[in-house]
Amino acid sequence: MDKLYCNKCGAENKANARYCFQCGYELPKTEPLKEESGMIENKQRSFKNKKILGGALGVVLAVVSSFAVQQIFFRVPSYDKIMMKEASELNKSCPVMVDKITRLDNALALPNKTFQYNYTLIGIDKSQLSVDTLKKYLVPQILNNVRTSPDMKKQRENKVSLVYYYKDEKGQFIYKYVVTPDMYK
């Protein structure tokens, strides 16, 4: 380490001292070597770069966390989830008689925007029923209801496939009719 000599008393002092340890006189200021000066400038540049990088990283983290918060707390639920809630609400009042022979047992929200209504035909035995006659009676009514009913507006807007599942009084499958979005456009 270099030494500084006091101009007043000539005492030897450390190179980084500001005042003479013996007489208290202010020591002469020395210029740092060019090599040391370059190192200081590099450190200052490095500090500025780190500061800029830290600021940029902070901005990126703020944007990412803001996006994550929006996705977690403010995202609109998928229509499948909305249908699950609607099916749950409808099932609270089931089973319910739709007409003299048709009972709505329950509703199911299925994947891929599919909603299923499960019906039982009361007093009907599959062996005594003509499925073709049933189709001729049911299909036009179902299609007309899906196309025109104000209650079905949400399903039409969200392009939901509707499944109508019928079984007889003994629980045997009779008929299944699926209404796809292209059928009610």
Side-chain angles (χ1 to χ4, degrees):
M1 180 184 260
D2 290 337
K3 307 278 183 198
L4 279 179
Y5 294 95
C6 178
N7 290 341
K8 187 172 183 184
C9 70
E12 189 177 301
N13 291 277
K14 292 184 180 177
N16 60 353
R18 186 168 177 190
Y19 298 96
C20 177
F21 81 93
Q22 189 149 353
C23 69
Y25 188 76
E26 187 173 4
L27 296 171
K29 294 179 183 171
T30 59
E31 291 292 319
L33 297 174
K34 287 188 179 185
E35 188 177 300
E36 288 178 9
S37 165
M39 285 176 32
I40 291 171
E41 286 176 16
N42 284 341
K43 284 182 181 179
Q44 288 174 340
R45 233 181 281 124
S46 175
F47 180 72
K48 283 182 183 177
N49 289 342
K50 285 179 184 177
K51 207 171 177 182
I52 290 170
L53 183 61
L57 185 60
V59 169
V60 169
L61 287 175
V63 169
V64 168
S65 62
S66 172
F67 179 76
V69 166
Q70 285 179 341
Q71 290 301 310
I72 293 169
F73 295 109
F74 302 109
R75 179 176 44 166
V76 176
S78 72
Y79 199 69
D80 283 340
K81 287 185 181 180
I82 293 170
M83 289 190 325
M84 287 172 59
K85 194 172 186 179
E86 289 175 356
S88 178
E89 287 298 314
L90 182 59
N91 288 336
K92 289 178 183 177
S93 62
C94 287
V96 64
M97 293 301 291
V98 177
D99 57 33
K100 289 180 185 178
I101 64 165
T102 311
R103 179 181 73 205
L104 174 62
D105 296 323
N106 61 24
L108 301 170
L110 303 172
N112 302 319
K113 292 186 184 179
T114 303
F115 199 84
Q116 180 171 319
Y117 297 97
N118 294 316
Y119 294 100
T120 298
L121 299 177
I122 306 298
I124 304 285
D125 188 337
K126 182 179 180 178
S127 63
Q128 301 169 341
L129 179 70
S130 165
V131 176
D132 289 334
T133 304
L134 182 67
K135 284 182 193 179
K136 286 179 187 177
Y137 174 75
L138 285 178
V139 170
Q141 285 187 348
I142 291 171
L143 258 176
N144 185 50
N145 183 49
V146 172
R147 287 177 179 161
T148 61
S149 173
D151 295 337
M152 302 300 275
K153 184 178 180 186
K154 268 187 173 178
Q155 284 81 353
R156 289 190 302 264
E157 288 173 349
N158 288 285
K159 298 178 180 166
V160 175
S161 292
L162 300 158
V163 179
Y164 294 84
Y165 185 91
Y166 292 89
K167 59 186 178 181
D168 71 2
E169 195 170 48
K170 295 178 183 174
Q172 291 193 335
F173 169 76
I174 297 175
Y175 180 62
K176 178 180 171 181
Y177 183 60
V178 180
V179 181
T180 57
D182 59 310
M183 296 169 74
Y184 57 74
K185 282 183 183 179

